[in-house]
Amino acid sequence: MAGNSQRRGAIRKSGTKKGQTVGSGGQRRRGLEPRGATPPAEMRKYHPAAKRAAAAAKKAAQTKGRPAGRPSTRKGDDGPELVLGRNPVVECLRAGVPATALYVANGTENDERLTEAVQRAADTGISILEVPRTDLDRMSSNGLHQGMALQVPPYRYAHPDDLLASALASGTPPLLVALDNISDPRNLGAVIRSVAAFGGHGVVIPQRRSASVTAVAWRTSAGAAARLPVARATNLTRTLKDWAKAGLQVVGLDAGGDTSLDDFDGSTPTVVVVGSEGKGLSRLVRETCDSVLSIPMAGEVESLNASVAAGVVLADIARQRRG
């Protein structure tokens, strides 16, 4: 009956025999809050897809004789390495890097890059493994993995003769870059990226005393190392002489060059030799060059970083060839 205050439940009770009624402390309210998008099947620990991916990764690791989930991080090891960071991982997957496993840290915040990386890895058959964040911290030397890491096999270098043959068969004047005394893999990765961006055909590095295509170079190149061939020369001076006999002009790049970039004609077949910022070009390599370029600069800056200088010269050559 309306207005009947004597019906059961109409009066709020102040408590029970054991004391006042205690609330949930906000637990029920937090339980109703949204928890974000459902993670992909490969990232759910007990999902069959995740179990299949883990089994495939374990089998692949056993085949190579290395425990699963422990890629090599030692210098000079020919085992797989890790590309760290969300943007580098996504760029490598977009470029078709032949990766073997994608590691995702537990509790990693989902965003469009993580979603794309997992989707691309699943589409190409790359194993997707969810691991504790401490494992990724241990795998990476600096911890800058942003919750994602891509395991890549050792880089397969081209032969200098094959690199030249491919450039000659491209239908455009060959444009190659040789690196002399470049020991920083970040510079190597940046040069590879610039060569790919400005229409170059490849990069050659010495087999000894030079940076190699490691995970750091993969990261800096943003996946360009998968699209652009990199060759290793047993003797860089001999390789440059062979290329000169094939009709390429060998042009060194040094702050004390005898030819200004403004007067350089890069429309013909060219190989640009880049020396290190500190040592510059070695004596034998410098003697092999037809000319040595210098970049005109305003102000008191004496020299540019090796990868920056290479990018400037390659951009100018690309401009000349477009004209």
Side-chain angles (χ1 to χ4, degrees):
M1 179 184 297
N4 183 5
S5 62
Q6 299 301 319
R7 74 183 188 278
R8 187 173 180 178
I11 301 176
R12 182 185 297 275
K13 296 181 179 180
S14 59
T16 64
K17 293 181 179 180
K18 296 183 180 180
Q20 296 292 329
T21 302
V22 181
S24 67
Q27 294 181 5
R28 294 171 189 159
R29 183 178 68 254
R30 288 195 296 269
L32 295 175
E33 293 179 354
R35 299 183 180 180
T38 302
E42 294 82 0
M43 294 179 58
R44 292 180 238 163
K45 185 175 181 180
Y46 299 103
H47 195 280
K51 294 180 180 179
R52 288 194 298 269
K58 183 177 180 180
K59 183 178 179 180
Q62 290 175 347
T63 303
K64 295 181 179 180
R66 189 182 301 278
R70 294 294 184 272
S72 171
T73 56
R74 294 179 297 172
K75 293 182 179 180
D77 197 339
D78 290 333
E81 296 195 12
L82 291 179
V83 176
L84 306 173
R86 300 197 176 192
N87 284 334
V89 166
V90 171
E91 290 288 345
C92 287
L93 290 172
R94 289 175 180 171
V97 172
T100 54
L102 174 65
Y103 294 90
V104 180
N106 291 329
T108 300
E109 183 180 355
N110 194 9
D111 62 2
E112 66 276 3
R113 294 171 297 178
L114 176 59
T115 302
E116 181 181 353
V118 171
Q119 186 63 48
R120 287 183 178 272
D123 292 342
T124 54
I126 299 173
S127 301
I128 304 172
L129 302 176
E130 192 172 13
V131 298
R133 182 171 289 271
T134 53
D135 284 4
L136 278 186
D137 293 338
R138 185 167 53 253
M139 294 176 190
S140 57
S141 58
N142 51 19
L144 300 178
H145 49 73
Q146 299 176 316
M148 290 177 59
L150 188 68
Q151 180 176 296
V152 295
Y155 187 80
R156 297 183 61 181
Y157 294 94
H159 191 278
D161 293 343
D162 297 334
L163 185 61
L164 177 61
S166 176
L168 292 172
S170 64
T172 59
L175 176 58
L176 300 169
V177 173
L179 302 183
D180 182 31
N181 290 324
I182 299 296
S183 58
D184 190 343
R186 290 183 292 268
N187 277 336
L188 172 59
V191 169
I192 292 173
R193 191 171 186 176
S194 296
V195 174
F198 296 117
H201 298 98
V203 176
V204 61
I205 60 176
Q207 190 168 356
R208 297 181 180 180
R209 295 185 296 274
S210 173
S212 56
V213 184
T214 61
V216 176
W218 274 114
R219 176 190 175 104
T220 311
S221 72
R227 303 186 298 270
L228 191 80
V230 178
R232 257 182 172 173
T234 305
N235 188 312
L236 182 60
T237 303
R238 186 188 309 134
T239 298
L240 294 176
K241 290 180 179 179
D242 292 341
W243 287 0
K245 293 178 181 178
L248 277 69
Q249 61 171 336
V250 182
V251 180
L253 182 57
D254 196 281
D258 52 16
T259 303
S260 173
L261 180 61
D262 295 338
D263 302 327
F264 172 67
D265 180 12
S267 60
T268 60
T270 304
V271 51
V272 178
V273 187
V274 183
S276 67
E277 184 178 357
K279 298 179 180 179
L281 298 172
S282 60
R283 181 181 60 84
L284 292 177
V285 170
R286 190 182 187 98
E287 292 175 355
T288 308
C289 296
D290 299 318
S291 60
V292 179
L293 294 180
S294 63
I295 301 175
M297 292 182 291
E300 299 178 355
V301 179
E302 296 181 357
S303 64
L304 296 174
N305 175 272
S307 59
V308 175
V312 171
V313 173
L314 291 171
D316 189 73
I317 293 176
R319 177 191 60 79
Q320 294 181 29
R321 295 189 173 190
R322 287 194 304 270

